[in-house]
């Protein structure tokens, strides 16, 4: 276990405050509620990073919706993610009856999400879109654009609000830059 002094020293600076996140989620919740009114809606997150975003975003949605989680493992070639995804816990729903929104924490190289989107498309949902909290477009190696990105950030490693470094910091209520030194 990490000691508290080292733990805190790694939190370099707050990049996105709780207030900013809350405001962006409120607006996105309103948009989703307007756009999907009267339609069967399923929000899906791939664990674990998006669990905080999902919990807060779904509470800004005022129309009926279902929530589901998937677990996926990325295969690595050395230290580089291959983009090949193995689903270790799948959905129970037949998504062909739903408008699906994939709720994601961050799009980095785009490898994981482009693979996940392929898997979802093959199951023929009524519609499919991707809402991500963060986007790091400078890091993209595959052609992939989320439909909605609430914040675009530079090429920095970030922690908090569900995002981890070595499984720590997911419980920070804001997004911070990680101090690698
Ligand atoms: P991609 O396949 O490279 O887009 O990988 C996305 C995944 O890498 C995310 O779902 C995160 O789990 C992880 N990731 C990418 N950038 C960061 C970061 O800055 N902080 C924490 N996790 C990150
Ligand atoms: Mg993730």
């Amino acid at each position: 276990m990490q000691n508290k002094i080292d733990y805190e020293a790694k939190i370099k600076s707050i990049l996105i405050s709780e207030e900013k996140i809350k405001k962006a989620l409120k607006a996105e919740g309103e948009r989703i509620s307007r756009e999907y009114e009267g339609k069967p809606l399923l929000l899906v997150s791939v664990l674990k990073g998006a669990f905080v975003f999902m919990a807060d975003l779904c509470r800004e949605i005022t129309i009926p919706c279902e929530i589901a989680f998937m677990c996926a493992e990325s295969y690595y070639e050395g230290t580089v993610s291959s983009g090949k995804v193995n689903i270790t816990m799948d959905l129970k729903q037949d998504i062909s009856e739903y408008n699906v929104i994939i709720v994601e924490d961050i799009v980095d190289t785009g490898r994981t999400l482009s693979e996940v989107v392929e898997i979802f498309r093959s199951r023929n949902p009524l519609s499919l879109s991707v809402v991500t909290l963060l986007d790091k477009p400078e890091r993209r190696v595959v052609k992939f654009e989320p439909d909605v990105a609430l914040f675009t950030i530079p090429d920095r490693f970030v922690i908090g609000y569900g995002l981890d470094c070595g499984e720590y910091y997911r419980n920070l209520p804001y997004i911070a830059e990680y101090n690698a030194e």
Side-chain angles (χ1 to χ4, degrees):
M1 210 192 97
Q2 213 175 25
N3 75 58
K4 194 159 183 287
I5 294 168
D6 290 344
Y7 174 86
E8 284 173 354
K10 298 285 184 194
I11 306 169
K12 193 170 179 180
S13 59
I14 297 180
L15 213 62
I16 309 169
S17 68
E18 280 183 83
E19 292 71 27
K20 270 197 181 157
I21 296 172
K22 197 165 173 39
K23 210 171 151 206
L25 263 61
K26 196 168 167 33
E28 181 56 14
E30 283 168 7
R31 184 195 69 80
I32 292 171
S33 304
R34 265 197 317 276
E35 202 160 302
Y36 292 89
E37 181 155 22
K39 297 175 180 171
L41 177 60
L42 177 66
L43 307 176
V44 181
S45 269
V46 180
L47 293 172
K48 294 182 253 186
F51 80 107
V52 178
F53 180 38
M54 171 69 111
D56 284 350
L57 178 65
C58 74
R59 284 179 287 177
E60 299 293 346
I61 294 174
T62 54
I63 57 168
C65 70
E66 292 181 43
I67 288 154
F69 293 95
M70 264 169 92
C71 267
E73 276 172 2
S74 297
Y75 287 118
Y76 282 83
E77 282 160 1
T79 56
V80 181
S81 147
S82 67
K84 290 282 168 269
V85 168
N86 180 30
I87 295 170
T88 54
M89 182 186 84
D90 208 339
L91 305 175
K92 304 244 181 332
Q93 291 90 342
D94 170 4
I95 65 168
S96 67
E97 321 238 311
Y98 292 94
N99 295 276
V100 174
I101 302 178
I102 299 176
V103 177
E104 182 59 303
D105 50 355
I106 188 164
V107 185
D108 187 37
T109 64
R111 284 189 170 110
T112 310
L113 218 45
S114 61
E115 184 80 1
V116 167
V117 162
E118 277 306 303
I119 294 168
F120 274 71
R121 278 204 203 293
S122 71
R123 298 179 183 182
N124 298 312
L126 296 174
S127 69
L128 182 64
S129 70
V130 174
V131 174
T132 185
L133 177 68
L134 304 175
D135 188 7
K136 283 200 276 194
E138 288 169 37
R139 293 260 308 163
R140 209 72 95 248
V141 299
V142 298
K143 197 169 152 27
F144 177 82
E145 290 309 319
D147 298 278
V148 175
L150 298 186
F151 300 96
T152 298
I153 61 168
D155 180 10
R156 308 265 162 73
F157 195 81
V158 293
I159 50 173
Y161 203 76
L163 291 148
D164 74 308
C165 183
E167 293 299 328
Y168 287 122
Y169 305 104
R170 293 192 196 276
N171 53 321
L172 293 178
Y174 47 78
I175 304 277
E177 187 178 339
Y178 182 73
N179 187 356
E181 279 125 51

